Amino acid sequence: MALEALSSNELLNFIIYDSISAAPYSCNDSSDTTSLLPQENVGGCSSMARLNHPPVVVETTQKPQDLAVQSRKKRRRRPKVCKNKEEAETQRMTHITVERNRRKQMNEHLAVLRSLMPESYVQRGDQASIVGGAIEFVKDLEHVLQSLEAKKFSLLQHAATAENGGANHNTNDSIKVLTNNPFAQFFSYPQFSCSNLPNKYTSQNKAAIADIEVTLIETHANIRILSRRRIRQHSKIVSAFQTMFLSILHLNVTTLDPLVLYSISAKVEDGCQLNSADEIAGAVHRMLRIIEEEVILCCQS
């Protein structure tokens, strides 16, 4: 009943709220309330249009003080962001410079390496071809050195035999080869040794039937074997390596009766159960022992 007694203007003033505190204005002050209305609604509009306009209620969850604090925090973070951008740019430029110098040095080394090799070892000028050709060249040089050592030892034996009058020539040569290892310089620290070479396990000297040294770097193994020559030993070694999932990449064979030196570069495949150089050396030694037992059985039969 009280609302019906109010005029239209007074009823409109009654429902207008403050935008910040949401408290209703006093109904007695009509001049202040009309000033809060939009300009297009104040003049030229009927009282019914004003009544049909929905009430405007604004809710705020943050106080003006909190907004001021947040604005100050944002202003403080801006210099830090700029500093981080500068540091990131500096690091990026440093990384680019280091990478450029590394590539320049690598290209210079590859050019020197290519110049040291015959042209037949390098078919193309890319990095992979140069490195692959260098591996082949080093392996061939190693084989040449081993062959020269064998020839040198043979010449010394013949000279010594000639001085002694040539008595028991073959027997003395075999004994000297077995006692004085001509390939000792190619073994650094073998896992197995049947000669006077120092090895990792002194208890294996008596049981060893060959000098075996294995070095393993990641999945590539370098294997040197010095043993007596056996019938079909070469083919049996290749077959045994395939059984052990060791792919032979390079193989050099140097003979000096009654010994033979194998220099093998192999890759360890995924199915290989040998995880260390000592395990590979042990497997090779077992393989050579089996070959020797087969030779003995063939001779007895």
Side-chain angles (χ1 to χ4, degrees), residues 153-167 169 173 176:
F153 193 82
S154 298
L155 291 175
L156 292 176
Q157 282 183 335
H158 290 303
T161 303
E163 291 178 359
N164 295 331
H169 174 70
D173 287 350
K176 288 180 181 179

Side-chain angles (χ1 to χ4, degrees), residues 153-154 157-158 160-162 164-179 228 256-259:
F153 193 82
S154 298
Q157 282 183 335
H158 290 303
T161 303
N164 295 331
N168 297 327
H169 174 70
N170 294 330
T171 304
N172 291 334
D173 287 350
S174 299
I175 294 174
K176 288 180 181 179
V177 170
L178 292 175
T179 55
R228 285 177 174 270
L256 180 62
D257 289 333
L259 298 178

Side-chain angles (χ1 to χ4, degrees), residues 91-130:
Q91 292 178 357
R92 189 179 72 86
M93 296 302 297
T94 303
H95 176 73
I96 291 174
T97 304
V98 171
E99 184 66 18
R100 186 183 295 113
N101 293 334
R102 186 190 67 81
R103 290 182 179 179
K104 181 180 178 181
Q105 188 177 15
M106 179 63 69
N107 292 331
E108 291 176 355
H109 291 338
L110 289 173
V112 174
L113 185 62
R114 185 178 183 181
S115 65
L116 295 175
M117 293 184 296
E119 295 182 357
S120 59
Y121 288 91
V122 183
Q123 302 297 331
R124 293 176 296 179
D126 58 293
Q127 296 182 1
S129 299
I130 294 174

Side-chain angles (χ1 to χ4, degrees), residues 116-147:
L116 295 175
M117 293 184 296
E119 295 182 357
S120 59
Y121 288 91
V122 183
Q123 302 297 331
R124 293 176 296 179
D126 58 293
Q127 296 182 1
S129 299
I130 294 174
V131 174
I135 294 172
E136 295 285 345
F137 186 54
V138 170
K139 289 295 181 182
D140 289 346
L141 289 178
E142 183 185 40
H143 190 207
V144 171
L145 181 59
Q146 292 170 356
S147 300

Side-chain angles (χ1 to χ4, degrees), residues 174-219:
S174 299
I175 294 174
K176 288 180 181 179
V177 170
L178 292 175
T179 55
N180 301 322
N181 188 352
F183 303 110
Q185 60 176 321
F186 300 104
F187 292 85
S188 300
Y189 206 61
Q191 286 86 352
F192 294 87
S193 177
C194 63
S195 58
N196 296 326
L197 296 176
N199 68 333
K200 292 184 177 181
Y201 311 103
T202 56
S203 61
Q204 294 178 351
N205 281 335
K206 296 180 180 180
I209 60 173
D211 295 339
I212 302 172
E213 182 178 9
V214 179
T215 56
L216 181 64
I217 298 177
E218 294 182 357
T219 59

Side-chain angles (χ1 to χ4, degrees), residues 63 146 280:
K63 296 181 180 180
Q146 292 170 356
I280 295 175

Side-chain angles (χ1 to χ4, degrees), residues 235-283:
S235 60
K236 291 179 181 179
I237 289 176
V238 174
S239 177
F241 268 68
Q242 293 178 353
T243 305
M244 293 185 294
F245 292 93
L246 295 173
S247 299
I248 296 178
L249 304 178
H250 303 277
L251 174 60
N252 293 333
V253 182
T254 305
T255 58
L256 180 62
D257 289 333
L259 298 178
V260 57
L261 174 63
Y262 297 96
S263 295
I264 304 172
S265 178
K267 181 180 179 181
V268 181
E269 300 295 342
D270 295 334
C272 184
Q273 301 297 324
L274 307 173
N275 300 320
S276 65
D278 294 340
E279 291 181 0
I280 295 175

